[in-house]
Amino acid sequence: MKYDYLIVGAGLFGAVFAREMQKAGKSCFVIDRRNVVAGNVYTEERAGIQVHKYGAHIFHTANKRVWEYIQQFAEFNHYINSPVAVYKEQLYNLPFNMNTFSKMWGVKTPAEAKAKIAEQIDGLHIVEPQNLEEQALSLVGTDVYEKLIKGYTEKQWGRDCRELPAFIIKRLPLRFVYDNNYFTDPYQGIPKGGYTKLVEKILGDIPVRLGIAYKDFQKENAGRGAEADTFGKVLYTGMIDEYFDYSFGELQYRSLRFEEELLTGCDNYQGNAVVNYTEREVPYTRIIEHKHFEFGTQPDTVITKEYPAEWKRGDEPYYPINNEQNNALYARYAALAQKEKNVLFGGRLGQYSYYDMDKVIAAALDMVQTELR
């Protein structure tokens, strides 16, 4: 077969790109090294519950174009992300808002909360923050930092906050309203029936081969000789440094480890979809109770504990570490990518950038427009 595009990766970026190129009359073939489609938004049914296998994914956007686009493939519920944080057996609402401040200090009005935070910041005398700790303290004061930021951040990054650069936290939103909605985007929800069905519908009848890595596919296809499939272009959504055989060295990532548990006979474990654990001494960063994403009434429940981990080659790379050193290294790989004939690089790993789901879709749609010019 002769295809216009080989798409490497059946996640959101690859699926949207393949769908739109097919609509434009281009032939596409999709491969993925995993045995399932949907990438990190993959959901799997267990005990009648859609389980987010690679961490919680809440769709939210301010981009009406993206919202209307994704509505073609799934009906979304009205889920609003309102996580809770646990610190030394105390519960606090997130994001940092008047409910948080009232619980922390007993204040009732925005003026009281602002005065408390300003008092703590003024007492620190931080003029030019030298690290993440000083940056955070200069933005929110001591109490919010110590209880809700320090331990969680150190677990996420695997480093002391004083060893992390200040620019990682450019701002910390403080909301002086009694509103626990984590996102301010006007469009928000979870696709009914899970993300896997959504991605499967995006892909439609486009041929997909699972369980094979790009380089293995290349070797296998080349070995077919005259019967080999041909592709006009490749869209690569894997790790850009891996594509170039780590020729300049490895980019850094953070990985995650998940412990999933089915709790039979328990219909409600924690009362919320996402509960963060902000103490450094608690090894996991959060517990996800998946049924609450879809207002489930099942007699059982499924929870997942999420543990951040150092990434090493062969592990799943979840978060790019976009510090100055890694961004400079990525720039070198990006320069190589620009010289690569008939190969496009897209998505979180191909562009070494943390993308929310709506940004992934928007970037894929933009790439399609560029290709079709």
Side-chain angles (χ1 to χ4, degrees):
M1 292 286 293
K2 182 178 180 180
Y3 295 92
D4 294 305
Y5 290 89
L6 171 66
I7 288 102
V8 182
L12 272 176
F13 196 105
V16 169
F17 182 88
R19 168 86 181 200
E20 295 308 301
M21 295 309 291
Q22 185 193 58
K23 280 174 59 178
K26 306 296 183 180
S27 55
C28 300
F29 189 87
V30 179
I31 65 170
D32 199 293
R33 61 182 177 79
R34 287 178 177 165
N35 289 312
V36 294
V37 301
N40 285 350
V41 303
Y42 170 72
T43 51
E44 180 178 279
E45 186 171 317
R46 187 175 183 190
I49 298 164
Q50 289 296 323
V51 175
H52 296 216
K53 296 294 286 188
Y54 301 106
H57 286 84
I58 299 102
F59 197 93
H60 61 97
T61 186
N63 188 327
K64 189 175 182 180
R65 168 196 178 211
V66 167
W67 182 246
E68 290 177 346
Y69 178 82
I70 202 67
Q71 296 291 304
Q72 302 173 77
F73 310 107
E75 181 183 357
F76 282 69
N77 65 23
H78 60 282
Y79 176 82
I80 298 295
N81 190 31
S82 303
V84 174
V86 177
Y87 178 80
K88 295 188 182 298
E89 304 306 317
Q90 293 293 314
L91 296 175
Y92 298 95
N93 291 106
L94 298 176
F96 312 136
N97 66 63
M98 285 303 300
N99 288 311
T100 318
F101 308 142
S102 179
K103 178 67 176 289
M104 195 170 288
W105 301 311
V107 299
K108 296 180 180 179
T109 68
E112 290 176 309
K114 290 177 182 179
K116 186 72 174 178
I117 292 168
E119 176 188 352
Q120 292 188 1
I121 292 173
D122 290 344
L124 296 169
H125 307 292
I126 298 172
V127 179
E128 293 186 12
Q130 299 300 306
N131 52 54
L132 186 148
E133 178 168 285
E134 291 184 358
Q135 178 71 37
L137 286 169
S138 70
L139 293 171
V140 299
T142 53
D143 287 345
V144 173
Y145 171 71
E146 291 289 342
K147 293 182 178 181
L148 301 179
I149 297 173
K150 178 178 170 62
Y152 192 91
T153 302
E154 290 180 344
K155 287 189 287 188
Q156 282 280 54
W157 290 89
R159 292 160 181 80
D160 190 287
C161 283
R162 288 165 294 189
E163 298 173 5
L164 294 168
F167 70 79
I168 290 176
I169 294 183
K170 295 179 180 178
R171 64 184 183 89
L172 288 168
L174 299 172
R175 300 181 190 168
F176 296 96
V177 291
Y178 288 92
D179 183 358
N180 297 325
N181 185 352
Y182 193 84
F183 302 119
T184 58
D185 295 327
Y187 310 112
Q188 184 175 167
I190 303 285
K192 294 181 180 180
Y195 285 98
T196 301
K197 290 181 180 178
L198 180 150
V199 175
E200 287 174 346
K201 191 165 183 182
I202 294 173
L203 287 166
D205 61 356
I206 296 168
V208 178
R209 182 174 174 192
L210 302 173
I212 189 162
Y214 174 55
K215 290 186 178 178
D216 292 335
F217 178 82
Q218 282 183 306
K219 291 177 184 176
E220 179 189 283
N221 193 47
R224 293 167 56 196
E227 296 182 356
D229 295 328
T230 61
F231 304 93
K233 283 189 176 182
V234 173
L235 166 63
Y236 186 82
T237 68
M239 295 163 58
I240 190 170
D241 52 344
E242 182 181 44
Y243 178 90
F244 291 108
D245 295 317
Y246 307 100
S247 55
F248 297 137
E250 294 177 353
L251 289 163
Q252 291 181 308
Y253 305 85
R254 287 294 285 169
S255 192
L256 294 170
R257 178 172 62 86
F258 303 99
E259 286 185 359
E260 181 185 308
E261 186 177 359
L262 171 64
L263 303 178
T264 56
C266 176
D267 67 341
N268 190 355
Y269 176 75
Q270 63 186 16
N272 205 45
V274 180
V275 177
N276 292 354
Y277 287 78
T278 61
E279 291 175 70
R280 180 74 183 264
E281 292 72 22
V282 178
Y284 43 86
T285 51
R286 58 184 179 176
I287 298 179
I288 301 164
E289 188 170 7
H290 302 270
K291 69 189 304 178
H292 295 306
F293 289 128
E294 296 193 63
F295 314 104
T297 58
Q298 298 89 348
D300 305 322
T301 194
V302 178
I303 64 169
T304 300
K305 292 178 180 177
E306 190 172 303
Y307 298 80
E310 289 287 347
W311 176 87
K312 61 183 184 300
R313 202 178 297 189
D315 292 341
E316 196 67 45
Y318 285 95
Y319 302 108
I321 300 178
N322 291 115
N323 58 23
E324 292 177 2
Q325 174 187 343
N326 283 304
N327 288 344
L329 181 56
Y330 167 68
R332 297 179 69 189
Y333 281 118
L336 273 186
Q338 288 181 342
K339 298 176 184 177
E340 196 76 355
K341 188 177 181 181
N342 295 326
V343 181
L344 307 170
F345 293 83
R348 177 176 50 91
L349 302 179
Q351 296 173 337
Y352 197 67
S353 178
Y354 181 80
Y355 277 129
D356 286 331
M357 287 179 283
D358 64 324
K359 303 299 190 299
V360 169
I361 293 169
L365 292 174
D366 288 344
M367 183 176 282
V368 168
Q369 289 183 345
T370 300
E371 282 293 289
L372 295 177
R373 282 176 188 162

